[in-house]
Amino acid sequence: MSQALSQRLKIALIQLAATADKARNLSRVKEHVLKAASNGAQLVVLPECFNSPYSVAAFPQYAESIPSGETTKFLSTLARETSIYLIGGSIPERGDDGKLFNTSLSFAPSGDLIAKHRKVHLFDIDIPGKIRFKESEVLTGGNKITVFDIPPFGKVGLAICYDIRFPELASVAARKEGVFAMIYPGAFNTTTGPLHWELLARARAVDNQIYVLLCSPARDMTSDYHAYGYSIAVDPNANILTKAGEGEEIVYAELEPGFIEQTRAGIPITTQRRYDVYPDISASTKTSAV
Ligand SMILES: NC(=O)CCC(=O)C(=O)O
């Protein structure tokens, strides 16, 4: 199913320099979101783990309950005060059963919580001499594909960082739900970032002929985890609309009505699929917003 983006949408990606000081992080988020909204952004994206360090040791320390925790309330109020869609990066979540998750919350301009995504694919890698990271030492993976409506623009899909390496999530969201964009708060690093960050953004865009937004923390070489930076927005033809550098900044882009249809009319892969040769995974996969 395909769905036109019904109006031009101005987005902002906030490449925040997240620190170990949660109060400072939240106050910087507020400053940046107010600025982005005053510059006309209608949808603002924060990075993965914007209110804590990105580290296995930090997850239990910073974890909050949802929706009763401080950050949920903070994001809801900020979305309402600025009248924007706020895609709240991710935070460590302590679930009712005590399990920890890497969770992204999205809010409508009314302040209502409209989506909750728990990172499905945990970032467990070991590249000798470069980087070892095992989210699964403390986190549990989510179990759903997240899609939600942002009227009057249409539907978007949301996943977190390492989830981008698994193309099925984006394909199901695009084919089954007709999302016009996939949004990935993410914190790649200085080893895998140069290899795959931009490539994956452009790959998911060209696979599905949709917009793709990736929002990273700023790089901080004094912290244990060296986030890559280079937050990026890509159009359905895999052209780069905007790209940050390594430091703290806000970048903006406009998503255009009709560009998805135009792209698909020119290169009609959406109507040329051969489900007699391979299965349509989107047919049997469930999606939800919360
Ligand atoms: N935070 C993450 O999931 C990092 C993913 C990453 O760096 C990758 O290479 O994939």
Side-chain angles (χ1 to χ4, degrees), residues 11 13 197-203 205-206 210-214 228 230-245 251-255 259:
I11 64 96
L13 309 176
W197 173 258
E198 180 182 316
L199 177 70
L200 285 163
R202 300 185 68 200
V206 82
I210 56 171
Y211 290 93
V212 173
L213 314 179
L214 269 53
Y228 181 54
Y230 294 103
S231 298
I232 189 170
V234 172
D235 81 8
N237 250 335
N239 292 315
I240 295 171
L241 296 173
T242 190
K243 189 173 170 182
V251 291
Y252 299 89
E254 285 209 9
L255 314 192
F259 194 61

Side-chain angles (χ1 to χ4, degrees), residues 48 54 119 123 135 160-162 165 187-189 192 225:
E48 182 178 25
Y54 182 67
K119 188 175 190 175
F123 181 49
E135 282 190 322
I160 301 175
C161 203
Y162 198 54
R165 290 191 180 271
F188 270 45
N189 52 78
T192 61
Y225 186 85

Side-chain angles (χ1 to χ4, degrees), residues 101-139:
F101 303 90
N102 185 341
T103 302
S104 181
L105 301 174
S106 293
F107 297 85
S110 61
D112 290 340
L113 177 65
I114 48 172
K116 173 175 170 179
H117 179 78
R118 288 174 166 167
K119 188 175 190 175
V120 171
H121 304 92
L122 297 181
F123 181 49
D124 281 3
I125 67 162
D126 191 354
I127 307 177
K130 301 276 189 187
I131 178 171
R132 179 186 182 280
F133 203 99
K134 300 270 175 195
E135 282 190 322
S136 66
E137 284 172 357
V138 296
L139 299 183

